Amino acid sequence: MNYSTLKKGLAASFVALIGVTTLANAQDASTSSSSAKVFGGRGQYRTWSLGVNGGVLSPFVAIGGSNDFTNFDVNLGYGISLRKQLGHAFGLEGNVFRGKVSGTNKDAPGGAVNGIREFETELAYATDLRGVVNVATVDFLRRENSVNFFVTAGYGVAAYRTALNGADIKNLPENKGDNGDKKYIKEAYIPVGAGIKFKVSERVSFNLGYTMHFIDGDNFDGVYAKATSKDKFSYGYAGLEFSLGSKSKPNLDWVNPLALMYDELKDPSLRQEVEALKNRVSNIEKSVEDLKKDSDGDGVADQFDKCPGTPAGTAVDGSGCPLPKAPEPTVKDQSNLTGFETIQFEFNSSVLKTDSYPTLDKLSSVLRENGGKVTVKGYASSEGTAAYNLKLSKDRANSVKTYLVNSGVNASQVVTKGYGEANPIASNDTEEGRIQNRRVESSRN
């Protein structure tokens, strides 16, 4: 791993954090006001904070695990932090701290393990970038929080040098460069921690925290126990955190979004807007009901009904007026049928009409009872070409023959002929005449 590159990259991350969040503040900024709104953006809050801390460094961590030494010494550590709060519950924090970590084997048999009695590590610096999650931001019992619990995790780099058995760290050859300057080992580490924050004032909070640091190597205490083992150390600290920014704005850390939303809903101007909206909705609903009103129940709304008061069950048109009654169908007197009456057809059709069935049934009865033959002659009006009309007239004659055969008449008793436009019985210059010419006539042979 190229630790020089890693260190430069981490420093660049801090610069990028400041640049990006400054841009975010500019984009989210709203009018400066002491009354924050639920969806007003981060610009209405103080979101930057600076912290100082001090505490105890130890080569042991709370979750246990293997250690190269049996006992630890209490050593002072100290550091600073810079945090940007991105939301009610989440922020990004940069940390730098330093101190000394040491331990002994005084509880081991003979006070030593493999000849090693003690170690001392000078932590020149440890710097990291962490995500901070406030796990008690939303408090249903308080309008504004005064105590917050938080958890953290991130990534960092530590620079250190180590001495064993009381040796002078400064004078060890392995801790000096070629030019006699200080030489440090640089390792990556993962910080994982938790803590509690107490609100002292609008600007100041008191923090208690504990962070475990898992190092990507086994040389932090100077002892290489196993090729696959990793060293670790912890930092328990107390500190003060100072909120930066305009005093007219609240600190985003301590804002309870549920209480804020409740206050906003109680805002008189907002309630007036809600009431006005309710009235508008009521008026629209009334207008819709008026549009749907149908007093006479004919299916046409009153405002479009041109014939109000239509009796129930009356068929009406789109304007609500009664439809004209259809004429009663005329029933032909079938008692005098001979079966040789003319059969009429629709325009450009060879399909038999239902009113021709009685005539054809009579003709079928005559042929089946009396025998003999009949010639069925088809005709057409003058629309279309002569060739087409000739074919159409044959189709009309064949339709009659098919009906008679299907009713029991022997096919040999029916001869069909098509005459096209020939032999009109009325003028083809009028629609009435053309209707009469679309026909089939039957005659005995």
Side-chain angles (χ1 to χ4, degrees):
M1 180 183 292
N2 189 330
Y3 293 108
S4 176
T5 303
L6 181 61
K7 180 180 176 183
K8 293 178 181 178
L10 194 61
S13 297
F14 278 105
V15 175
L17 168 64
I18 295 174
V20 170
T21 51
T22 301
L23 178 60
N25 262 353
Q27 293 173 338
D28 290 343
S30 57
T31 56
S32 179
S33 172
S34 60
S35 58
K37 299 295 182 183
V38 176
F39 299 108
R42 286 191 297 269
Q44 60 188 335
Y45 301 105
R46 294 197 305 270
T47 57
W48 286 99
S49 61
L50 180 66
V52 294
N53 56 74
V56 175
L57 287 166
S58 166
F60 295 175
V61 296
I63 61 174
S66 61
N67 292 93
D68 297 327
F69 291 82
T70 60
N71 303 85
F72 71 91
D73 297 329
V74 176
N75 293 294
L76 176 66
Y78 54 91
I80 61 173
S81 64
L82 178 65
R83 183 163 52 85
K84 169 66 176 180
Q85 196 68 22
L86 300 177
H88 293 285
F90 180 75
L92 287 177
E93 182 177 271
N95 285 274
V96 179
F97 63 96
R98 60 180 304 174
K100 183 175 72 171
V101 182
S102 63
T104 69
N105 281 321
K106 66 180 182 179
D107 288 347
V113 176
N114 296 325
I116 300 175
R117 299 185 308 276
E118 59 186 353
F119 85 96
E120 178 183 319
T121 297
E122 176 191 342
L123 188 62
Y125 67 82
T127 178
D128 57 64
L129 182 64
R130 307 176 189 176
V132 182
V133 178
N134 292 332
V135 296
T137 298
V138 180
D139 189 339
F140 291 91
L141 302 179
R142 294 178 176 82
R143 304 195 61 72
E144 186 171 326
N145 294 334
S146 57
V147 178
N148 266 356
F149 296 92
F150 60 88
V151 294
T152 64
Y155 186 82
V157 173
Y160 59 87
R161 52 184 182 169
T162 305
L164 298 174
N165 294 336
D168 186 352
I169 292 179
K170 298 179 182 179
N171 296 321
L172 290 177
E174 61 267 24
N175 289 333
K176 290 186 177 182
D178 295 337
N179 298 322
D181 56 342
K182 293 181 180 180
K183 183 179 179 182
Y184 294 100
I185 297 172
K186 298 178 180 65
E187 292 276 354
Y189 68 88
I190 301 294
V192 178
I196 184 170
K197 177 186 298 187
F198 302 92
K199 183 177 181 181
V200 177
S201 70
E202 293 299 325
R203 287 282 189 180
V204 181
S205 63
F206 176 67
N207 299 351
L208 292 174
Y210 179 81
T211 306
M212 299 175 289
H213 307 78
F214 300 93
I215 301 175
D216 186 24
D218 187 34
N219 48 9
F220 185 74
D221 57 11
V223 176
Y224 295 86
K226 295 178 182 178
T228 58
S229 66
K230 305 288 185 181
D231 284 335
K232 50 195 173 294
F233 69 95
S234 62
Y235 181 37
Y237 61 89
L240 295 176
E241 187 174 317
F242 303 91
S243 177
L244 307 177
S246 172
K247 65 179 180 180
S248 64
K249 298 179 179 180
N251 187 351
L252 184 55
D253 267 1
W254 301 108
V255 173
N256 186 332
L258 289 181
L260 190 66
M261 182 174 292
Y262 178 78
D263 290 341
E264 190 167 309
L265 290 174
K266 287 182 63 179
D267 189 309
S269 60
L270 181 61
R271 293 185 67 86
Q272 291 174 3
E273 291 180 12
V274 172
E275 291 301 323
L277 183 60
K278 287 181 179 178
N279 291 334
R280 290 181 60 187
V281 171
S282 296
N283 292 336
I284 292 173
E285 289 177 344
K286 185 177 182 302
S287 299
V288 171
E289 290 301 321
D290 290 342
L291 287 174
K292 292 165 57 178
K293 189 176 181 181
D294 179 15
S295 301
D296 55 10
D298 60 0
V300 179
D302 289 353
Q303 104 170 11
F304 303 110
D305 198 340
K306 295 181 179 179
C307 300
T310 305
T314 303
V316 297
D317 58 17
S319 62
C321 294
L323 291 170
K325 291 185 177 181
E328 295 292 335
T330 57
V331 180
K332 292 183 178 180
D333 183 7
Q334 301 180 8
S335 61
N336 296 321
L337 290 177
T338 64
F340 294 94
E341 286 78 12
T342 300
I343 306 297
Q344 302 294 146
F345 289 84
E346 296 291 345
F347 169 73
N348 195 31
S349 174
S350 61
V351 178
L352 292 171
K353 298 198 292 185
T354 56
D355 61 4
S356 66
Y357 294 169
T359 299
L360 293 173
D361 290 341
K362 180 64 176 178
L363 180 57
S364 173
S365 177
V366 170
L367 291 173
R368 284 185 285 109
E369 292 176 2
N370 302 323
K373 293 185 178 181
V374 66
T375 299
V376 178
K377 296 171 280 189
Y379 297 94
S381 55
S382 61
E383 298 98 328
T385 64
Y388 181 80
N389 287 332
L390 180 61
K391 178 181 180 301
L392 182 59
S393 66
K394 291 179 179 179
D395 290 341
R396 286 171 175 170
N398 286 327
S399 292
V400 170
K401 180 177 180 178
T402 300
Y403 187 95
L404 294 174
V405 171
N406 289 338
S407 66
V409 177
N410 194 305
S412 63
Q413 292 180 269
V414 184
V415 178
T416 59
K417 293 184 179 181
Y419 293 93
E421 302 171 13
N423 306 324
I425 58 174
S427 173
N428 278 311
D429 294 332
T430 64
E431 179 59 24
E432 292 79 3
R434 290 191 289 270
I435 290 174
Q436 295 181 55
N437 290 332
R438 299 166 192 150
R439 71 195 191 281
V440 164
E441 295 177 348
S442 301
S443 60
R444 288 187 180 274
N445 287 353

